[in-house]
Short mmCIF file of all heavy atoms in Angstrom, two decimals:
data_model
loop_
_atom_site.label_atom_id
_atom_site.label_comp_id
_atom_site.label_asym_id
_atom_site.label_seq_id
_atom_site.Cartn_x
_atom_site.Cartn_y
_atom_site.Cartn_z
N MET G 1 18.87 -2.33 -5.36
CA MET G 1 17.73 -2.41 -4.40
C MET G 1 16.58 -3.19 -5.10
O MET G 1 16.22 -2.93 -6.19
CB MET G 1 17.26 -0.99 -3.95
CG MET G 1 16.04 -1.09 -3.08
SD MET G 1 15.33 0.53 -2.78
CE MET G 1 16.33 0.98 -1.36
N ALA G 2 16.01 -4.13 -4.36
CA ALA G 2 14.87 -4.88 -4.92
C ALA G 2 13.64 -4.02 -5.04
O ALA G 2 13.48 -3.07 -4.26
CB ALA G 2 14.54 -6.06 -3.99
N GLU G 3 12.86 -4.29 -6.00
CA GLU G 3 11.62 -3.52 -6.15
C GLU G 3 10.65 -3.83 -5.00
O GLU G 3 10.70 -4.94 -4.51
CB GLU G 3 10.95 -3.83 -7.52
CG GLU G 3 11.71 -3.30 -8.67
CD GLU G 3 10.95 -3.56 -10.01
OE1 GLU G 3 10.20 -4.56 -10.13
OE2 GLU G 3 11.08 -2.77 -10.92
N ARG G 4 9.87 -2.89 -4.63
CA ARG G 4 8.93 -3.05 -3.52
C ARG G 4 7.48 -2.93 -4.04
O ARG G 4 7.24 -2.27 -4.98
CB ARG G 4 9.18 -1.97 -2.45
CG ARG G 4 10.57 -1.96 -1.90
CD ARG G 4 10.89 -3.29 -1.29
NE ARG G 4 11.64 -3.02 -0.05
CZ ARG G 4 11.79 -3.94 0.93
NH1 ARG G 4 11.22 -5.11 0.75
NH2 ARG G 4 12.45 -3.67 1.93
N GLN G 5 6.60 -3.61 -3.29
CA GLN G 5 5.20 -3.55 -3.63
C GLN G 5 4.39 -3.39 -2.35
O GLN G 5 4.71 -4.00 -1.34
CB GLN G 5 4.76 -4.78 -4.42
CG GLN G 5 3.45 -4.67 -5.01
CD GLN G 5 3.19 -5.60 -6.18
OE1 GLN G 5 4.04 -6.35 -6.50
NE2 GLN G 5 2.00 -5.58 -6.71
N LEU G 6 3.31 -2.61 -2.41
CA LEU G 6 2.40 -2.45 -1.25
C LEU G 6 1.46 -3.65 -1.25
O LEU G 6 0.98 -4.08 -2.29
CB LEU G 6 1.63 -1.20 -1.33
CG LEU G 6 2.39 0.08 -0.88
CD1 LEU G 6 1.57 1.25 -1.20
CD2 LEU G 6 2.79 0.03 0.59
N ARG G 7 1.18 -4.14 -0.08
CA ARG G 7 0.17 -5.23 0.18
C ARG G 7 -0.64 -4.79 1.30
O ARG G 7 -0.24 -4.14 2.26
CB ARG G 7 0.89 -6.53 0.52
CG ARG G 7 1.89 -7.05 -0.47
CD ARG G 7 1.16 -7.81 -1.56
NE ARG G 7 2.11 -8.38 -2.47
CZ ARG G 7 1.91 -8.46 -3.74
NH1 ARG G 7 0.76 -8.13 -4.24
NH2 ARG G 7 2.82 -9.02 -4.50
N VAL G 8 -1.92 -5.23 1.31
CA VAL G 8 -2.87 -4.87 2.36
C VAL G 8 -3.48 -6.20 2.88
O VAL G 8 -3.76 -7.08 2.08
CB VAL G 8 -3.94 -3.92 2.02
CG1 VAL G 8 -4.85 -4.45 1.01
CG2 VAL G 8 -4.65 -3.39 3.19
N ASP G 9 -3.55 -6.34 4.19
CA ASP G 9 -4.32 -7.47 4.80
C ASP G 9 -5.78 -7.05 4.89
O ASP G 9 -6.13 -6.22 5.71
CB ASP G 9 -3.70 -7.76 6.18
CG ASP G 9 -4.41 -8.89 6.90
OD1 ASP G 9 -5.51 -9.33 6.42
OD2 ASP G 9 -3.87 -9.38 7.92
N PRO G 10 -6.67 -7.61 4.05
CA PRO G 10 -8.02 -7.15 4.05
C PRO G 10 -8.83 -7.46 5.34
O PRO G 10 -9.80 -6.79 5.65
CB PRO G 10 -8.67 -7.89 2.83
CG PRO G 10 -7.71 -9.03 2.60
CD PRO G 10 -6.36 -8.64 3.06
N ILE G 11 -8.34 -8.42 6.01
CA ILE G 11 -9.00 -8.82 7.29
C ILE G 11 -8.64 -7.84 8.38
O ILE G 11 -9.47 -7.43 9.17
CB ILE G 11 -8.63 -10.24 7.73
CG1 ILE G 11 -8.95 -11.27 6.68
CG2 ILE G 11 -9.26 -10.58 9.07
CD1 ILE G 11 -10.39 -11.41 6.25
N ALA G 12 -7.40 -7.35 8.41
CA ALA G 12 -6.94 -6.45 9.46
C ALA G 12 -7.36 -5.07 9.22
O ALA G 12 -7.54 -4.21 10.11
CB ALA G 12 -5.42 -6.52 9.62
N CYS G 13 -7.54 -4.69 7.86
CA CYS G 13 -7.84 -3.29 7.53
C CYS G 13 -9.15 -2.86 8.09
O CYS G 13 -10.15 -3.61 8.07
CB CYS G 13 -7.86 -3.16 6.01
SG CYS G 13 -8.15 -1.49 5.43
N ARG G 14 -9.21 -1.62 8.61
CA ARG G 14 -10.43 -1.05 9.14
C ARG G 14 -10.97 0.18 8.43
O ARG G 14 -11.73 1.00 8.93
CB ARG G 14 -10.23 -0.73 10.65
CG ARG G 14 -9.90 -1.89 11.49
CD ARG G 14 -11.22 -2.77 11.59
NE ARG G 14 -10.87 -3.99 12.34
CZ ARG G 14 -11.01 -5.24 11.84
NH1 ARG G 14 -11.38 -5.40 10.62
NH2 ARG G 14 -10.75 -6.30 12.55
N ALA G 15 -10.42 0.37 7.23
CA ALA G 15 -10.89 1.46 6.30
C ALA G 15 -10.71 2.87 6.90
O ALA G 15 -11.55 3.73 6.71
CB ALA G 15 -12.30 1.24 5.88
N HIS G 16 -9.59 3.09 7.50
CA HIS G 16 -9.30 4.47 8.05
C HIS G 16 -9.00 5.44 6.92
O HIS G 16 -9.28 6.60 7.00
CB HIS G 16 -8.13 4.44 9.03
CG HIS G 16 -8.46 3.70 10.30
ND1 HIS G 16 -9.17 4.28 11.33
CD2 HIS G 16 -8.09 2.50 10.73
CE1 HIS G 16 -9.31 3.41 12.26
NE2 HIS G 16 -8.64 2.34 11.95
N GLY G 17 -8.33 4.91 5.83
CA GLY G 17 -8.09 5.74 4.63
C GLY G 17 -6.84 6.64 4.70
O GLY G 17 -6.54 7.35 3.80
N ILE G 18 -6.05 6.46 5.75
CA ILE G 18 -4.81 7.25 5.90
C ILE G 18 -3.84 6.91 4.79
O ILE G 18 -3.16 7.83 4.18
CB ILE G 18 -4.19 6.99 7.24
CG1 ILE G 18 -5.11 7.48 8.37
CG2 ILE G 18 -2.82 7.67 7.40
CD1 ILE G 18 -4.72 7.08 9.77
N CYS G 19 -3.78 5.70 4.42
CA CYS G 19 -2.84 5.24 3.37
C CYS G 19 -3.07 5.93 2.02
O CYS G 19 -2.20 6.36 1.38
CB CYS G 19 -2.92 3.67 3.18
SG CYS G 19 -4.56 3.01 2.82
N ALA G 20 -4.39 6.04 1.67
CA ALA G 20 -4.74 6.72 0.39
C ALA G 20 -4.41 8.26 0.44
O ALA G 20 -4.05 8.80 -0.60
CB ALA G 20 -6.20 6.50 0.07
N GLU G 21 -4.46 8.77 1.63
CA GLU G 21 -4.10 10.24 1.78
C GLU G 21 -2.61 10.42 1.59
O GLU G 21 -2.17 11.42 1.02
CB GLU G 21 -4.55 10.77 3.10
CG GLU G 21 -6.04 10.89 3.27
CD GLU G 21 -6.44 11.44 4.62
OE1 GLU G 21 -5.59 12.10 5.26
OE2 GLU G 21 -7.55 11.17 5.05
N LEU G 22 -1.82 9.42 2.07
CA LEU G 22 -0.36 9.57 2.05
C LEU G 22 0.25 9.11 0.72
O LEU G 22 1.30 9.67 0.34
CB LEU G 22 0.31 8.73 3.19
CG LEU G 22 -0.02 9.30 4.58
CD1 LEU G 22 0.45 8.31 5.66
CD2 LEU G 22 0.57 10.61 4.76
N VAL G 23 -0.34 8.21 0.04
CA VAL G 23 0.13 7.70 -1.26
C VAL G 23 -0.98 7.62 -2.29
O VAL G 23 -1.32 6.50 -2.76
CB VAL G 23 0.86 6.33 -1.11
CG1 VAL G 23 1.69 6.04 -2.34
CG2 VAL G 23 1.70 6.26 0.14
N PRO G 24 -1.56 8.71 -2.71
CA PRO G 24 -2.65 8.68 -3.66
C PRO G 24 -2.25 8.13 -5.01
O PRO G 24 -3.06 7.65 -5.80
CB PRO G 24 -3.14 10.06 -3.77
CG PRO G 24 -1.95 10.92 -3.30
CD PRO G 24 -1.27 10.08 -2.33
N GLU G 25 -0.93 8.16 -5.32
CA GLU G 25 -0.52 7.64 -6.57
C GLU G 25 -0.57 6.09 -6.68
O GLU G 25 -0.73 5.58 -7.76
CB GLU G 25 1.05 7.96 -6.80
CG GLU G 25 1.32 9.44 -6.74
CD GLU G 25 1.65 9.96 -5.37
OE1 GLU G 25 1.40 9.27 -4.40
OE2 GLU G 25 2.16 11.10 -5.30
N LEU G 26 -0.70 5.43 -5.52
CA LEU G 26 -0.66 3.96 -5.48
C LEU G 26 -1.93 3.36 -4.78
O LEU G 26 -2.19 2.16 -4.98
CB LEU G 26 0.54 3.41 -4.64
CG LEU G 26 1.88 3.87 -5.19
CD1 LEU G 26 2.96 3.38 -4.23
CD2 LEU G 26 2.07 3.33 -6.55
N ILE G 27 -2.71 4.19 -4.14
CA ILE G 27 -3.86 3.66 -3.44
C ILE G 27 -5.13 4.50 -3.68
O ILE G 27 -5.11 5.73 -3.44
CB ILE G 27 -3.56 3.59 -1.91
CG1 ILE G 27 -2.29 2.82 -1.58
CG2 ILE G 27 -4.77 3.05 -1.11
CD1 ILE G 27 -1.80 2.85 -0.18
N ASP G 28 -6.18 3.85 -4.06
CA ASP G 28 -7.51 4.44 -4.17
C ASP G 28 -8.33 3.81 -3.05
O ASP G 28 -7.99 2.76 -2.53
CB ASP G 28 -8.13 4.15 -5.54
CG ASP G 28 -7.52 4.94 -6.63
OD1 ASP G 28 -7.17 6.12 -6.45
OD2 ASP G 28 -7.37 4.42 -7.73
N LEU G 29 -9.47 4.38 -2.79
CA LEU G 29 -10.44 3.79 -1.83
C LEU G 29 -11.66 3.35 -2.58
O LEU G 29 -12.15 4.07 -3.46
CB LEU G 29 -10.79 4.83 -0.69
CG LEU G 29 -9.65 5.36 0.13
CD1 LEU G 29 -10.18 6.36 1.16
CD2 LEU G 29 -8.97 4.22 0.89
N ASP G 30 -12.17 2.23 -2.15
CA ASP G 30 -13.42 1.74 -2.81
C ASP G 30 -14.65 2.48 -2.16
O ASP G 30 -14.48 3.37 -1.29
CB ASP G 30 -13.55 0.24 -2.68
CG ASP G 30 -13.81 -0.34 -1.26
OD1 ASP G 30 -14.06 0.48 -0.33
OD2 ASP G 30 -13.70 -1.54 -1.08
N GLU G 31 -15.75 2.12 -2.51
CA GLU G 31 -16.98 2.89 -1.96
C GLU G 31 -17.19 2.76 -0.50
O GLU G 31 -17.94 3.58 0.03
CB GLU G 31 -18.23 2.39 -2.78
CG GLU G 31 -18.53 0.93 -2.64
CD GLU G 31 -19.59 0.46 -3.58
OE1 GLU G 31 -20.80 0.54 -3.19
OE2 GLU G 31 -19.23 0.05 -4.65
N TRP G 32 -16.57 1.79 0.13
CA TRP G 32 -16.72 1.62 1.59
C TRP G 32 -15.51 2.18 2.38
O TRP G 32 -15.42 2.03 3.57
CB TRP G 32 -16.90 0.13 1.93
CG TRP G 32 -18.18 -0.41 1.34
CD1 TRP G 32 -19.49 -0.20 1.75
CD2 TRP G 32 -18.25 -1.23 0.14
NE1 TRP G 32 -20.33 -0.81 0.94
CE2 TRP G 32 -19.63 -1.51 -0.05
CE3 TRP G 32 -17.31 -1.78 -0.74
CZ2 TRP G 32 -20.06 -2.27 -1.08
CZ3 TRP G 32 -17.79 -2.55 -1.72
CH2 TRP G 32 -19.12 -2.79 -1.94
N GLY G 33 -14.56 2.73 1.60
CA GLY G 33 -13.36 3.26 2.24
C GLY G 33 -12.17 2.33 2.41
O GLY G 33 -11.14 2.71 2.99
N TYR G 34 -12.25 1.15 1.78
CA TYR G 34 -11.15 0.21 1.87
C TYR G 34 -10.18 0.44 0.68
O TYR G 34 -10.57 0.84 -0.40
CB TYR G 34 -11.66 -1.25 1.82
CG TYR G 34 -12.32 -1.62 3.10
CD1 TYR G 34 -13.72 -1.44 3.28
CD2 TYR G 34 -11.61 -2.19 4.15
CE1 TYR G 34 -14.30 -1.82 4.52
CE2 TYR G 34 -12.18 -2.50 5.33
CZ TYR G 34 -13.55 -2.31 5.51
OH TYR G 34 -14.13 -2.64 6.68
N PRO G 35 -8.85 0.23 0.97
CA PRO G 35 -7.87 0.56 -0.08
C PRO G 35 -7.88 -0.44 -1.25
O PRO G 35 -8.10 -1.62 -1.07
CB PRO G 35 -6.55 0.39 0.69
CG PRO G 35 -6.83 -0.48 1.83
CD PRO G 35 -8.28 -0.27 2.23
N VAL G 36 -7.69 0.14 -2.41
CA VAL G 36 -7.52 -0.65 -3.64
C VAL G 36 -6.10 -0.24 -4.14
O VAL G 36 -5.85 0.86 -4.43
CB VAL G 36 -8.57 -0.26 -4.72
CG1 VAL G 36 -8.33 -1.08 -5.98
CG2 VAL G 36 -9.94 -0.53 -4.17
N LEU G 37 -5.21 -1.21 -4.10
CA LEU G 37 -3.80 -0.96 -4.41
C LEU G 37 -3.45 -1.17 -5.90
O LEU G 37 -4.03 -2.04 -6.56
CB LEU G 37 -2.93 -1.88 -3.61
CG LEU G 37 -3.13 -1.85 -2.08
CD1 LEU G 37 -2.16 -2.87 -1.42
CD2 LEU G 37 -2.90 -0.54 -1.51
N VAL G 38 -2.59 -0.37 -6.40
CA VAL G 38 -2.05 -0.57 -7.72
C VAL G 38 -1.20 -1.81 -7.75
O VAL G 38 -0.41 -2.00 -6.85
CB VAL G 38 -1.20 0.69 -8.15
CG1 VAL G 38 -0.52 0.46 -9.47
CG2 VAL G 38 -2.08 1.88 -8.17
N GLU G 39 -1.45 -2.62 -8.76
CA GLU G 39 -0.65 -3.91 -8.84
C GLU G 39 0.64 -3.71 -9.63
O GLU G 39 0.90 -4.37 -10.66
CB GLU G 39 -1.50 -4.97 -9.51
CG GLU G 39 -2.71 -5.45 -8.69
CD GLU G 39 -2.28 -6.19 -7.47
OE1 GLU G 39 -1.27 -6.95 -7.51
OE2 GLU G 39 -2.97 -6.04 -6.48
N SER G 40 1.48 -2.83 -9.15
CA SER G 40 2.77 -2.64 -9.80
C SER G 40 3.75 -2.25 -8.72
O SER G 40 3.40 -1.85 -7.58
CB SER G 40 2.68 -1.55 -10.84
OG SER G 40 2.36 -0.34 -10.25
N PRO G 41 5.11 -2.38 -8.98
CA PRO G 41 6.11 -2.00 -7.97
C PRO G 41 6.02 -0.50 -7.64
O PRO G 41 5.56 0.28 -8.45
CB PRO G 41 7.40 -2.27 -8.73
CG PRO G 41 7.08 -3.25 -9.80
CD PRO G 41 5.70 -2.96 -10.24
N VAL G 42 6.32 -0.21 -6.46
CA VAL G 42 6.37 1.15 -5.90
C VAL G 42 7.50 1.92 -6.57
O VAL G 42 8.68 1.48 -6.48
CB VAL G 42 6.51 1.19 -4.40
CG1 VAL G 42 6.63 2.62 -3.89
CG2 VAL G 42 5.40 0.42 -3.72
N PRO G 43 7.23 3.02 -7.37
CA PRO G 43 8.30 3.81 -7.95
C PRO G 43 9.19 4.43 -6.85
O PRO G 43 8.68 4.81 -5.76
CB PRO G 43 7.50 4.88 -8.70
CG PRO G 43 6.12 4.42 -8.81
CD PRO G 43 5.87 3.50 -7.66
N ARG G 44 10.44 4.54 -7.15
CA ARG G 44 11.37 5.13 -6.18
C ARG G 44 10.95 6.50 -5.75
O ARG G 44 11.16 6.94 -4.62
CB ARG G 44 12.78 5.22 -6.74
CG ARG G 44 13.44 3.85 -6.82
CD ARG G 44 14.83 4.00 -7.47
NE ARG G 44 15.35 2.69 -7.70
CZ ARG G 44 16.41 2.21 -7.12
NH1 ARG G 44 17.10 2.95 -6.28
NH2 ARG G 44 16.85 1.02 -7.48
N SER G 45 10.26 7.25 -6.61
CA SER G 45 9.86 8.66 -6.35
C SER G 45 8.81 8.68 -5.23
O SER G 45 8.68 9.73 -4.57
CB SER G 45 9.29 9.31 -7.62
OG SER G 45 8.16 8.64 -8.08
N VAL G 46 8.09 7.64 -4.91
CA VAL G 46 7.08 7.65 -3.83
C VAL G 46 7.40 6.58 -2.74
O VAL G 46 6.56 6.36 -1.94
CB VAL G 46 5.69 7.47 -4.34
CG1 VAL G 46 5.26 8.66 -5.22
CG2 VAL G 46 5.51 6.17 -5.08
N LEU G 47 8.57 6.02 -2.85
CA LEU G 47 8.94 4.96 -1.87
C LEU G 47 8.85 5.45 -0.45
O LEU G 47 8.38 4.80 0.46
CB LEU G 47 10.27 4.36 -2.17
CG LEU G 47 10.70 3.14 -1.38
CD1 LEU G 47 9.73 2.02 -1.41
CD2 LEU G 47 12.04 2.67 -1.82
N SER G 48 9.35 6.68 -0.23
CA SER G 48 9.36 7.28 1.08
C SER G 48 7.93 7.49 1.62
O SER G 48 7.61 7.27 2.79
CB SER G 48 10.09 8.60 1.11
OG SER G 48 10.01 9.23 2.31
N ASP G 49 7.04 7.89 0.70
CA ASP G 49 5.64 8.10 1.07
C ASP G 49 4.97 6.75 1.39
O ASP G 49 4.17 6.68 2.30
CB ASP G 49 4.84 8.76 -0.05
CG ASP G 49 5.34 10.22 -0.26
OD1 ASP G 49 5.87 10.81 0.63
OD2 ASP G 49 5.12 10.72 -1.38
N ALA G 50 5.33 5.70 0.65
CA ALA G 50 4.78 4.38 0.90
C ALA G 50 5.23 3.84 2.25
O ALA G 50 4.47 3.32 3.02
CB ALA G 50 5.25 3.41 -0.20
N ARG G 51 6.45 4.13 2.62
CA ARG G 51 6.99 3.71 3.90
C ARG G 51 6.23 4.45 5.08
O ARG G 51 5.92 3.91 6.10
CB ARG G 51 8.45 3.98 3.98
CG ARG G 51 9.31 2.97 3.25
CD ARG G 51 10.76 3.13 3.52
NE ARG G 51 11.51 2.10 2.83
CZ ARG G 51 12.53 2.29 2.01
NH1 ARG G 51 12.91 3.53 1.72
NH2 ARG G 51 13.16 1.27 1.45
N GLN G 52 5.99 5.71 4.79
CA GLN G 52 5.23 6.52 5.78
C GLN G 52 3.81 5.99 5.93
O GLN G 52 3.33 5.95 7.05
CB GLN G 52 5.21 7.99 5.31
CG GLN G 52 4.57 8.92 6.31
CD GLN G 52 4.53 10.36 5.85
OE1 GLN G 52 5.00 10.67 4.82
NE2 GLN G 52 4.07 11.27 6.73
N ALA G 53 3.16 5.62 4.84
CA ALA G 53 1.87 5.07 4.91
C ALA G 53 1.80 3.76 5.70
O ALA G 53 0.87 3.50 6.52
CB ALA G 53 1.27 4.84 3.55
N VAL G 54 2.77 2.91 5.47
CA VAL G 54 2.92 1.65 6.26
C VAL G 54 3.02 1.98 7.75
O VAL G 54 2.31 1.36 8.57
CB VAL G 54 4.10 0.81 5.75
CG1 VAL G 54 4.31 -0.38 6.68
CG2 VAL G 54 3.80 0.31 4.33
N ALA G 55 3.86 2.89 8.08
CA ALA G 55 4.07 3.21 9.51
C ALA G 55 2.90 3.89 10.11
O ALA G 55 2.60 3.73 11.31
CB ALA G 55 5.30 4.18 9.64
N ALA G 56 2.12 4.59 9.30
CA ALA G 56 0.94 5.33 9.83
C ALA G 56 -0.35 4.51 9.97
O ALA G 56 -1.33 4.95 10.60
CB ALA G 56 0.61 6.56 8.96
N CYS G 57 -0.37 3.29 9.39
CA CYS G 57 -1.59 2.47 9.40
C CYS G 57 -1.95 2.07 10.85
O CYS G 57 -1.24 1.30 11.42
CB CYS G 57 -1.40 1.23 8.50
SG CYS G 57 -2.86 0.13 8.56
N PRO G 58 -3.08 2.57 11.35
CA PRO G 58 -3.44 2.23 12.76
C PRO G 58 -3.77 0.74 12.94
O PRO G 58 -3.68 0.28 14.08
CB PRO G 58 -4.62 3.14 13.04
CG PRO G 58 -5.14 3.54 11.70
CD PRO G 58 -4.05 3.45 10.74
N ALA G 59 -4.13 0.06 11.88
CA ALA G 59 -4.52 -1.36 12.01
C ALA G 59 -3.33 -2.29 11.66
O ALA G 59 -3.47 -3.51 11.75
CB ALA G 59 -5.75 -1.67 11.12
N LEU G 60 -2.19 -1.74 11.31
CA LEU G 60 -1.02 -2.54 10.86
C LEU G 60 -1.40 -3.43 9.71
O LEU G 60 -0.89 -4.52 9.63
CB LEU G 60 -0.43 -3.26 12.08
CG LEU G 60 -0.07 -2.41 13.30
CD1 LEU G 60 0.44 -3.30 14.36
CD2 LEU G 60 0.97 -1.38 12.87
N ALA G 61 -2.26 -2.98 8.83
CA ALA G 61 -2.72 -3.84 7.72
C ALA G 61 -1.93 -3.61 6.45
O ALA G 61 -2.10 -4.37 5.50
CB ALA G 61 -4.16 -3.57 7.46
N LEU G 62 -1.11 -2.63 6.42
CA LEU G 62 -0.35 -2.33 5.19
C LEU G 62 1.09 -2.73 5.33
O LEU G 62 1.68 -2.56 6.33
CB LEU G 62 -0.41 -0.76 4.92
CG LEU G 62 -0.06 -0.30 3.51
CD1 LEU G 62 -0.97 -0.86 2.48
CD2 LEU G 62 -0.10 1.23 3.49
N ARG G 63 1.64 -3.36 4.22
CA ARG G 63 3.02 -3.85 4.22
C ARG G 63 3.69 -3.42 2.96
O ARG G 63 3.08 -3.35 1.95
CB ARG G 63 3.09 -5.31 4.43
CG ARG G 63 2.68 -5.82 5.71
CD ARG G 63 2.96 -7.36 5.81
NE ARG G 63 2.11 -7.88 6.87
CZ ARG G 63 1.01 -8.57 6.61
NH1 ARG G 63 0.69 -8.89 5.40
NH2 ARG G 63 0.24 -9.01 7.57
N LEU G 64 4.99 -3.26 3.05
CA LEU G 64 5.80 -3.05 1.90
C LEU G 64 6.73 -4.24 1.74
O LEU G 64 7.50 -4.59 2.61
CB LEU G 64 6.68 -1.80 2.13
CG LEU G 64 7.32 -1.13 0.91
CD1 LEU G 64 6.31 -0.75 -0.15
CD2 LEU G 64 8.12 0.08 1.38
N THR G 65 6.51 -5.07 0.68
CA THR G 65 7.20 -6.28 0.47
C THR G 65 8.09 -6.24 -0.79
O THR G 65 7.91 -5.38 -1.60
CB THR G 65 6.21 -7.44 0.29
OG1 THR G 65 5.47 -7.22 -0.88
CG2 THR G 65 5.34 -7.58 1.49
N ALA G 66 9.00 -7.15 -0.84
CA ALA G 66 9.83 -7.25 -2.04
C ALA G 66 8.94 -7.83 -3.19
O ALA G 66 8.20 -8.79 -2.95
CB ALA G 66 10.99 -8.23 -1.83
N SER G 67 9.04 -7.25 -4.35
CA SER G 67 8.24 -7.72 -5.51
C SER G 67 8.81 -9.03 -6.01
O SER G 67 10.02 -9.31 -5.92
CB SER G 67 8.32 -6.67 -6.63
OG SER G 67 7.76 -5.47 -6.28
N ALA G 68 7.89 -9.87 -6.51
CA ALA G 68 8.35 -11.14 -7.16
C ALA G 68 9.09 -10.84 -8.39
O ALA G 68 8.72 -9.94 -9.17
CB ALA G 68 7.11 -12.00 -7.44
N VAL G 69 10.18 -11.55 -8.57
CA VAL G 69 10.95 -11.28 -9.78
C VAL G 69 10.39 -12.17 -10.97
O VAL G 69 10.18 -13.29 -10.81
CB VAL G 69 12.46 -11.75 -9.55
CG1 VAL G 69 13.24 -11.68 -10.83
CG2 VAL G 69 13.10 -10.99 -8.44
N GLN G 70 10.08 -11.43 -12.06
CA GLN G 70 9.52 -12.15 -13.19
C GLN G 70 10.62 -12.36 -14.22
O GLN G 70 11.47 -11.53 -14.46
CB GLN G 70 8.46 -11.35 -13.85
CG GLN G 70 7.24 -11.15 -12.91
CD GLN G 70 6.14 -10.40 -13.55
OE1 GLN G 70 6.29 -9.98 -14.79
NE2 GLN G 70 5.00 -10.26 -12.97
N LYS G 71 10.65 -13.59 -14.79
CA LYS G 71 11.66 -13.93 -15.77
C LYS G 71 11.06 -14.02 -17.17
O LYS G 71 9.93 -14.22 -17.35
CB LYS G 71 12.31 -15.24 -15.50
CG LYS G 71 13.12 -15.19 -14.19
CD LYS G 71 13.75 -16.45 -13.91
CE LYS G 71 14.55 -16.39 -12.63
NZ LYS G 71 15.25 -17.64 -12.34
#
């Protein structure tokens, strides 16, 4: 399975904060409530939570993408 990484569309995001509640291991909130994502692949142990956060985003601003392969 390819590694996955969370991405956020900063234009679409409305700072609801649901994502940080569902995946606090990968997402912090800045002082205005916008998500700050960890710049690393999503560990398998929280992949299910990351998928739930993507599905729960009311602004559809959060995505789970395939990580770029580094050589």
Side-chain angles (χ1 to χ4, degrees):
M1 174 188 274
E3 290 185 330
R4 304 300 223 161
Q5 190 158 1
L6 282 173
R7 302 276 184 213
V8 66
D9 178 347
I11 303 299
C13 182
R14 296 293 175 240
H16 292 282
I18 296 169
C19 55
E21 290 180 25
L22 294 172
V23 194
E25 302 89 347
L26 301 175
I27 304 172
D28 287 321
L29 298 178
D30 69 10
E31 60 191 271
W32 298 285
Y34 287 92
V36 178
L37 306 179
V38 172
E39 291 292 327
S40 63
V42 175
R44 288 181 190 241
S45 61
V46 294
L47 187 56
S48 177
D49 294 337
R51 286 186 174 127
Q52 185 179 3
V54 169
C57 179
L60 304 176
L62 195 62
R63 290 189 203 103
L64 196 57
T65 63
S67 294
V69 177
Q70 295 183 358
K71 294 182 180 183

